Amino acid sequence: MKNIFPKFKINSATYFLFLTFLSTGFIKNILLIFLIVIVHELGHIFFLKIFHYEIEKVEIFPFGGLTTTNKYINSPINKDILIYLGGVLFQVLLFIIFTFLYQNTSMHENTYTLFLRYNKSILFFNLLPIKSLDGGELFLLFLQKFISFEKSLIMGSFTSFFFLLLFVLYNVKSNLNNYVIVGFLLYKTIDFFKKKKYIEHKFLLERYMHVLPYKKIEHNHVQDISILKKETLHFFKDQEKYLHEREILKRKFDIHTFL
């Protein structure tokens, strides 16, 4: 695990929040929040290392962390689900440890109560189906089990905007920290929507360039690459025979290369 730690980065907004809490005397509060956030990210890192994905960066924000990897978009869905659930599982493990310490009189009641409040808040916040949160990624993965990759991005974008709006309405009279969170999530959701075509292009290019572990085979009567699904190998009708999806993708990328 030692090669992971140099990749940790503390966002400047996190330093600001840390100093704010210190200046107001809420040292225990901020230490508990950072402990929960770091343990949450370690849950993601744990499963990324198990599946041998390279970790590019782990950035700690005031409300959570963001782990960046180099894994394929077409990576197995079940592995991705475990990776995004890793944070939740590690928070549950932390809850068990804190409860054990509290029940054995090794922890003050005030500390345990604060921990429960922050742990629950961070846990449920991260499970919201908003892009960049674990819930948003898990919702996309759920969609991708049943519908095409392109449709999943469209539905994921609109769902993210919808739940972000609900989050804003719920926190309309909230504190500065929540406004920072809303601003960040809005930026990431808009950025995701703007990069949708790029993500689709990368998804298709991966399927053209690499041999992937497909689980299902579908035969389609229309040569439409927008219907491609993750973990599914597609064949397309061409007169009296079926063409491998790579043949269709070859036409697309050869044209783009020529242009």
Side-chain angles (χ1 to χ4, degrees):
M1 297 282 285
K2 63 181 181 180
N3 62 327
I4 294 173
F5 292 102
K7 298 174 182 177
F8 268 93
K9 177 185 176 183
I10 307 296
N11 185 268
S12 56
T14 308
Y15 285 115
F16 173 76
L17 181 67
F18 187 80
L19 292 173
T20 302
F21 270 78
L22 287 181
S23 64
T24 53
F26 293 102
I27 300 174
K28 183 186 293 185
N29 302 61
I30 196 63
L31 289 177
L32 282 172
I33 291 171
F34 281 164
L35 173 64
I36 294 166
V37 168
I38 289 172
V39 168
H40 182 100
E41 290 309 306
L42 286 175
H44 298 314
I45 290 168
F46 175 77
F47 285 102
L48 284 167
K49 299 304 280 186
I50 282 181
F51 299 135
H52 306 290
Y53 293 132
E54 183 181 345
I55 299 166
E56 296 179 348
K57 183 177 67 174
V58 180
E59 189 166 6
I60 304 300
F61 292 91
F63 49 86
L66 187 63
T67 300
T68 308
T69 74
N70 67 342
K71 67 182 182 67
Y72 291 149
I73 293 175
N74 285 278
S75 55
I77 293 176
N78 288 341
K79 286 185 178 181
D80 286 349
I81 288 174
L82 278 175
I83 290 167
Y84 287 114
L85 282 177
V88 172
L89 296 176
F90 268 51
Q91 278 190 244
V92 172
L93 178 61
L94 188 64
F95 165 75
I96 293 171
I97 293 171
F98 267 64
T99 301
F100 175 80
L101 292 174
Y102 172 68
Q103 290 177 347
N104 286 271
T105 66
S106 299
M107 180 179 294
H108 194 275
E109 183 177 356
N110 177 257
T111 302
Y112 182 65
T113 303
L114 278 176
F115 164 76
L116 288 180
R117 188 206 314 170
Y118 292 136
N119 197 51
K120 183 172 70 173
S121 298
I122 292 172
L123 181 67
F124 285 107
F125 170 72
N126 269 286
L127 288 176
L128 291 174
I130 300 173
K131 186 58 185 171
S132 293
L133 299 180
D134 296 338
E137 303 298 340
L138 288 167
F139 180 69
L140 273 179
L141 291 169
F142 173 78
L143 292 176
Q144 289 163 8
K145 275 185 168 288
F146 305 102
I147 64 176
S148 71
F149 184 77
E150 183 178 314
K151 285 182 179 178
S152 75
L153 296 186
I154 295 170
M155 289 185 66
S157 295
F158 285 109
T159 301
S160 185
F161 277 117
F162 175 73
F163 276 92
L164 184 55
L165 177 61
L166 293 182
F167 184 78
V168 170
L169 294 175
Y170 182 77
N171 293 279
V172 67
K173 295 182 179 180
S174 194
N175 54 37
L176 178 61
N177 186 42
N178 278 356
Y179 290 133
V180 173
I181 293 171
V182 168
F184 175 80
L185 292 178
L186 181 60
Y187 165 76
K188 296 299 289 185
T189 301
I190 292 173
D191 186 59
F192 173 68
F193 187 77
K194 287 166 62 177
K195 289 182 177 177
K196 189 173 72 69
K197 286 298 179 184
Y198 165 78
I199 296 169
E200 291 171 8
H201 190 82
K202 187 178 178 182
F203 166 76
L204 297 174
L205 186 60
E206 284 180 6
R207 298 175 75 99
Y208 174 58
M209 297 291 294
H210 304 284
V211 177
L212 301 168
Y214 298 110
K215 288 186 176 181
K216 298 182 293 184
I217 296 176
E218 283 192 9
H219 291 80
N220 308 101
H221 293 285
V222 181
Q223 294 184 20
D224 181 7
I225 57 175
S226 69
I227 66 175
L228 292 182
K229 300 176 185 174
K230 289 180 74 171
E231 297 187 334
T232 302
L233 177 61
H234 291 261
F235 287 88
F236 295 96
K237 185 78 170 181
D238 183 37
Q239 296 180 359
E240 299 301 319
K241 62 178 181 178
Y242 282 93
L243 294 179
H244 192 288
E245 65 176 54
R246 190 170 292 160
E247 292 297 317
I248 310 299
L249 292 172
K250 185 174 185 297
R251 299 173 190 172
K252 173 182 173 65
F253 290 110
D254 280 353
I255 292 173
H256 285 187
T257 303
F258 175 77
L259 293 175

